[in-house]
């Protein structure tokens, strides 16, 4: 079913430059106003888990830094970002802050770097104002490089972002109900293309996928994935083989960034702010732990999932900070969990596979 | 008469158990896994068939377990060793609430519920500390037979503390202790303590409920068992061949499947 897959990143980036004159930007995780970038003809290309061996980056980073940051830096150091016209570093965690400073202050990369600060919970009345100011600041900085931002274009991109979120929500809802005929591997392969495809290309893929795969799926053991991203990637294939269906997720690169149904706003900046504050709870936004627990329990309740697998990226501070208490709270509420922590791109060892398999045997 | 088999392909040994249609143990066999898991599974099965004095066609169903379970082409089903050890231990000792399985390459602590169901588990699968491999390396360094270590440590009047948990560092620590003329048995007792302490962290994470069964090859080491009992403050259940408990669990699953299939 190759029609649901776009071209590879490298080819796509070049093609976008040539055919649409778009400016590809390397964007680090996780929350940023992609609509502003789209409106300024920027193609955000997110950097999560490039398939590389870390060698050069170790010289710049402490051993206890997560591999999202290590791989991102490696990508830059290996000269694999030459096609990019800039970088954006959202203020996700200390590690990304650290990376931003290494890239901007110490590496002579000769590409514009932008920073985006978003408010963290608990939100106060001033948080919204702060967020609006950050959106405006980012836009005006980008304008210096890329020319003026057209507000009607931004409005249109905000609507496109909401349409994208609508289709994604539909896919999630169908999957939760067991009415989407797609394997775990395929589901994430399709939706993760949103990390680099332009919405003009991604939206038709998602719509096609939704139309094609709607239907009664096999009854498989429902589970929830939580954490940063589905890692190791092989875990999805293993879950497929073990007849388990990821019925919901609480992954930073997926549903934690999923927009909720929009509230009508005339001003596109106001609409972006509205969307940001309505997003699901997340460790990188310092959301209260009990809010996260409640969110997971709600997902478990509507999918009948009996277990949560935490896909942890080693040394991810925000996630590990919450983890012990999360596990305890879920256990108390009768929801079993399994913690799988590994570096990115390290594959799935036999032992790790056994743990996942035993966990499924336990909750079935 | 129909029979049921369980085969546990572990890192060091491959074990097979045959059950009768009434779920009684008919025979078991233990062979070294060696370099080829499939050959080891074949060998263990041949051994247990001979022991039970039956032929292969009388086996109605086979369940494979252990890290090499995927390499048993003739198995009808594959189940993790965690579920199998829980069920095997529960079958042997029905008051079992916790299983401590210290195998050749990993160790596990399993909380067991009604019917031998796994309620929770934890696994040390990242390094050799707290596993049979740790003892194997140390036995080699101390030039004693692995199966003599238990007896030797029970004879020790004192123990020499081993501060390193890591197998590689502990190995060099042992070399220094030997050079300082510490008696071998005292060093061994210290090594056993180090394994027990390591596994104890897992026991604490899972919790102790009811009877405790020890399974896996290291449970044959009386020195480790004695220190674990001391730590637990209660005696543990032991099968005469603790490493066959996983294969027994697998055989029970084979038997159960045929019961539910009618
Ligand atoms: S994995 Fe965790 S520590 Fe690393 S960049 Fe993401 S949020 Fe930050």
């Amino acid at each position: 079913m190759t029609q649901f897959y776009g071209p590879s990143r490298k080819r796509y980036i070049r093609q976008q430059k040539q055919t649409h004159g778009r400016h590809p930007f390397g964007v680090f995780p996780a929350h940023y106003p992609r609509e502003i970038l789209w409106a300024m003809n920027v193609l955000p290309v997110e950097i999560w888990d490039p398939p590389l061996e870390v060698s050069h980056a170790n010289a710049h980073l402490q051993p206890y830094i997560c591999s999202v940051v290590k791989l991102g830096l490696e990508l830059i150091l290996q000269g694999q970002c030459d096609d990019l016209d800039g970088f954006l570093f959202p203020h996700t965690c200390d590690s990304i802050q650290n990376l931003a400073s290494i890239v901007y202050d110490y590496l002579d990369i000769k590409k514009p770097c932008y920073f985006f600060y978003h408010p963290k919970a608990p939100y106060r009345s001033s948080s919204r104002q702060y967020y609006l100011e950050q959106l405006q600041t980012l836009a005006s900085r980008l304008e210096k490089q890329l020319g003026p931002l057209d507000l009607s274009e931004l409005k249109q991109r905000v609507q496109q972002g909401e349409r994208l979120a609508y289709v994604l929500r539909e896919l999630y809802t169908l999957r939760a109900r067991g009415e989407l005929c797609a394997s775990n591997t395929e589901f994430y392969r399709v939706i993760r293309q949103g990390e680099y495809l332009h919405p003009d290309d991604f939206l038709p893929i998602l719509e096609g996928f939704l139309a094609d795969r709607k239907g009664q799926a096999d009854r498989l053991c429902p589970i929830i994935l939580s954490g940063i991203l589905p890692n190791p990637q092989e875990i999805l294939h293993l879950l497929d083989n073990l007849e388990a269906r990821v019925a919901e997720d609480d992954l930073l690169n997926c549903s934690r960034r999923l927009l909720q149904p929009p509230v009508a706003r005339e001003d596109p900046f106001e609409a972006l702010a509205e969307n940001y504050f309505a997003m699901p709870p997340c460790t990188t936004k310092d959301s209260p732990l009990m809010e996260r627990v409640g969110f997971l329990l709600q997902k478990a309740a509507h999918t009948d999932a009996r277990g949560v697998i935490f896909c942890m990226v080693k040394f991810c501070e925000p996630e590990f900070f919450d983890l012990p208490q999360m596990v305890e709270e879920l256990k108390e509420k009768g929801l079993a969990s399994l913690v799988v922590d590994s570096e990115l791109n390290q594959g799935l060892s036999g032992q790790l596979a056994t743990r996942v398999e035993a966990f499924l045997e336990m909750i079935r | 008469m129909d029979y049921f088999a369980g085969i546990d392909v572990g890192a060091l040994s491959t074990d097979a158990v045959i059950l009768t249609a009434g779920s009684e143990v008919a025979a078991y066999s233990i062979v070294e896994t060696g370099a080829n898991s499939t050959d080891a599974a074949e060998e263990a099965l041949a051994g247990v068939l001979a022991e039970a004095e039956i032929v292969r066609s009388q086996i109605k169903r086979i369940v494979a377990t252990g890290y090499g379970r995927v390499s048993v082409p003739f198995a009808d089903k594959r189940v993790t060793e965690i579920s199998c050890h829980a069920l095997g231990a529960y079958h042997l000792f029905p008051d079992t609430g916790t299983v401590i399985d210290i195998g050749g390459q990993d160790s596990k602590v399993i909380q067991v519920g009604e019917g031998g169901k796994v309620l929770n588990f934890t696994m040390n699968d990242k390094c050799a500390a707290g596993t049979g491999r740790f003892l194997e390396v140390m036995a080699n360094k101390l030039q004693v037979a692995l199966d003599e270590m238990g007896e030797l440590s029970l004879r020790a009047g004192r123990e020499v503390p081993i501060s390193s948990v890591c197998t590689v560092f502990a190995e060099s620590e042992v070399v220094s202790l030997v050079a300082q003329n510490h008696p071998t048995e005292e060093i061994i007792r210290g090594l056993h303590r180090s394994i027990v302490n390591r596994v104890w962290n897992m026991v604490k994470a899972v919790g102790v409920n009811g009877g405790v069964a020890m399974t896996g090859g290291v449970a044959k080491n009386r020195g480790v068992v004695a220190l674990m009992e001391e730590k637990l403050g209660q005696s543990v259940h032991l099968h005469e061949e603790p490493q066959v408990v996983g294969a027994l669990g697998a055989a029970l699953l084979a038997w159960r499947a045929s019961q539910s299939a009618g």
Side-chain angles (χ1 to χ4, degrees):
Chain A
M1 289 293 167
T2 46
Q3 76 264 33
F4 302 127
Y5 302 121
S8 72
R9 279 184 184 232
K10 254 205 161 77
R11 244 184 64 212
Y12 186 71
I13 292 172
R14 291 203 180 133
Q15 192 185 310
Q16 288 286 300
K17 272 186 134 171
Q18 281 160 11
T19 52
H20 299 281
R22 288 199 174 117
H23 302 280
F25 272 33
V27 180
F28 284 88
H31 297 283
Y32 64 98
R34 27 181 213 162
E35 298 81 351
I36 293 181
L37 301 184
W38 295 336
M40 300 188 87
N41 209 24
V42 169
L43 174 74
V45 178
E46 297 178 6
I47 302 170
W48 290 88
D49 52 350
L52 299 172
E53 282 263 338
V54 175
S55 54
H56 306 67
N58 286 333
H60 298 264
L61 296 167
Q62 299 88 333
Y64 50 80
I65 296 294
C66 77
S67 46
V68 169
V69 164
K70 277 194 181 154
L71 287 167
L73 182 59
E74 187 69 31
L75 194 78
I76 296 174
L77 294 170
Q78 285 191 14
Q80 301 212 34
C81 294
D82 293 351
D83 287 332
L84 302 180
D85 292 347
F87 289 101
L88 173 65
F89 298 92
H91 184 194
T92 300
C93 58
D94 289 350
S95 302
I96 297 248
Q97 277 290 98
N98 185 14
L99 172 71
S101 139
I102 291 170
V103 174
Y104 183 65
D105 299 327
Y106 299 108
L107 300 179
D108 190 19
I109 57 161
K110 301 200 170 56
K111 287 189 199 286
C113 291
Y114 297 91
F115 310 96
F116 181 67
Y117 300 90
H118 47 83
K120 311 261 174 180
Y123 301 128
R124 299 181 191 91
S125 49
S126 55
S127 307
R128 189 186 182 82
Q129 192 48 41
Y130 175 80
Y131 188 66
L132 283 168
E133 279 167 23
Q134 292 307 311
L135 292 174
Q136 305 273 8
T137 308
L138 177 67
S140 57
R141 287 202 182 130
L142 285 165
E143 281 179 324
K144 291 198 182 109
Q145 183 192 348
L146 305 160
L149 166 67
D150 177 348
L151 276 188
S152 62
E153 177 69 12
L154 178 57
K155 228 167 155 174
Q156 203 194 311
R157 293 301 180 188
V158 169
Q159 282 166 4
Q160 192 176 32
E162 286 166 355
R163 170 75 195 154
L164 256 182
Y166 169 78
V167 182
L168 278 167
R169 281 199 309 271
E170 277 292 296
L171 283 166
Y172 268 84
T173 307
L174 289 177
R175 185 177 70 152
R177 287 199 213 125
E179 293 170 9
L180 189 77
C181 302
S183 68
N184 301 310
T185 312
E186 189 185 26
F187 182 85
Y188 285 101
R189 198 171 155 207
V190 170
I191 71 162
R192 286 198 63 191
Q193 292 179 108
E195 290 166 16
Y196 71 97
L197 290 183
H198 190 273
D200 292 354
D201 298 320
F202 186 43
L203 193 51
I205 288 181
L206 280 188
E207 287 170 335
F209 185 59
L210 175 68
D212 192 74
R213 297 312 169 85
K214 211 171 180 164
Q216 201 55 52
D218 293 339
R219 285 180 67 86
L220 306 175
C221 175
I223 56 140
I224 297 173
L225 290 188
S226 179
I228 296 293
L229 71 167
N231 176 64
Q233 282 177 23
E234 294 80 355
I235 200 170
L236 297 174
H237 187 59
L238 176 70
L239 293 171
D240 286 329
N241 285 341
L242 297 173
E243 301 189 344
R245 173 171 57 89
V246 179
E248 265 291 1
D249 77 47
D250 164 47
L251 296 165
L252 176 59
N253 75 332
C254 296
S255 79
R256 279 196 213 164
R257 301 192 298 168
L258 194 52
L259 304 182
Q260 299 311 298
V263 176
R265 293 275 171 186
E266 246 323 286
D267 178 57
F269 286 99
E270 287 280 349
L272 287 176
E274 202 65 58
N275 287 340
Y276 174 77
F277 289 104
M279 268 195 271
C282 179
T283 50
T284 69
K285 294 196 290 181
D286 287 352
S287 303
L289 184 113
M290 288 319 286
E291 202 182 313
R292 294 193 56 219
V293 170
F295 186 67
L296 275 176
L297 289 173
Q298 203 186 333
K299 282 179 185 280
H302 80 253
T303 56
D304 271 340
R306 265 169 274 159
V308 178
I309 299 181
F310 288 98
C311 297
M312 306 296 284
V313 174
K314 241 187 204 139
F315 304 121
C316 171
E317 233 178 78
E319 288 291 304
F320 275 103
F321 188 77
D322 274 5
L323 187 73
Q325 210 187 330
M326 280 292 281
V327 168
E328 266 316 300
E329 294 285 346
L330 294 179
K331 191 171 154 194
E332 237 171 64
K333 311 271 177 342
L335 192 59
S337 59
L338 175 78
V339 177
V340 169
D341 69 320
S342 61
E343 302 269 6
L344 296 173
N345 300 334
Q346 294 241 311
L348 187 72
S349 66
Q351 284 98 334
L352 212 53
T354 293
R355 269 202 272 158
V356 174
E357 213 172 321
F359 180 68
L360 288 169
E361 287 168 2
M362 182 178 99
I363 60 171
R364 271 198 158 109
Chain B
M1 175 145 88
D2 287 335
Y3 292 87
F4 303 90
I7 299 186
D8 180 358
V9 185
L12 301 179
S13 74
T14 294
D15 323 306
V17 169
I18 286 181
L19 291 186
T20 64
S23 81
E24 296 294 324
V25 175
Y28 60 78
S29 74
I30 301 169
V31 301
E32 270 186 32
T33 300
N36 188 316
S37 306
T38 308
D39 290 350
E42 287 282 5
E43 197 191 329
L45 182 63
V48 79
L49 287 171
E51 187 68 30
E53 297 177 352
I54 59 168
V55 292
R56 181 119 162 216
S57 57
Q58 287 175 272
I59 305 277
K60 202 169 168 205
R61 208 174 159 80
I62 300 176
V63 170
T65 187
Y67 93 98
R69 62 191 176 280
V70 288
S71 312
V72 184
F74 50 84
D76 298 295
K77 196 175 175 194
R78 289 159 190 89
V79 178
T80 65
E81 52 275 34
I82 292 155
S83 300
C84 290
H85 276 269
L87 184 57
Y90 180 84
H91 178 80
L92 293 168
F93 315 105
D95 74 328
T96 299
T98 307
V99 175
I100 300 173
D101 167 40
I102 311 181
Q105 70 172 14
D106 60 26
S107 41
K108 310 167 192 83
V109 178
I110 310 162
Q111 190 187 348
V112 187
E114 215 32 59
K117 186 155 175 45
V118 176
L119 299 180
N120 193 6
F121 67 92
T122 183
M123 246 173 119
N124 158 33
D125 51 21
K126 297 213 178 81
C127 72
T131 70
R133 180 79 191 128
F134 175 86
L135 283 184
E136 204 180 74
V137 170
M138 300 310 156
N140 223 338
K141 210 66 295 167
L142 290 165
Q143 296 181 324
V144 296
L146 188 60
D147 52 12
E148 280 172 13
M149 287 180 99
E151 286 313 312
L152 285 170
S153 83
L154 289 176
R155 261 193 256 143
R158 293 177 20 195
E159 78 187 51
V160 182
I162 308 287
S163 52
S164 314
V165 179
C166 161
T167 308
V168 178
F169 292 152
E171 193 181 354
S172 25
E173 203 173 332
V174 163
V175 172
S176 324
L177 292 170
V178 171
Q180 290 161 25
N181 290 327
H182 284 284
T184 305
E185 18 336 340
E186 293 180 10
I187 299 175
I188 293 175
R189 198 173 152 97
L191 290 166
H192 289 167
R193 176 79 65 191
S194 142
I195 287 212
V196 168
N197 286 346
R198 173 88 191 181
V199 175
W200 186 248
N201 287 330
M202 292 160 50
V203 174
K204 276 194 299 186
V206 169
V208 177
N209 271 316
V212 178
M214 277 186 78
T215 64
V218 175
K220 287 178 88 165
N221 180 319
R222 294 294 310 166
V224 172
V225 172
L227 292 180
M228 185 58 85
E229 287 179 329
E230 182 188 306
K231 199 100 184 164
L232 283 162
Q234 68 186 76
S235 57
V236 301
H237 297 311
L238 283 175
H239 184 256
E240 54 183 9
E241 286 293 354
Q243 70 261 58
V244 302
V245 177
L248 170 64
L252 284 162
L253 284 171
W255 175 79
R256 272 189 185 180
S258 77
Q259 298 298 106
S260 52

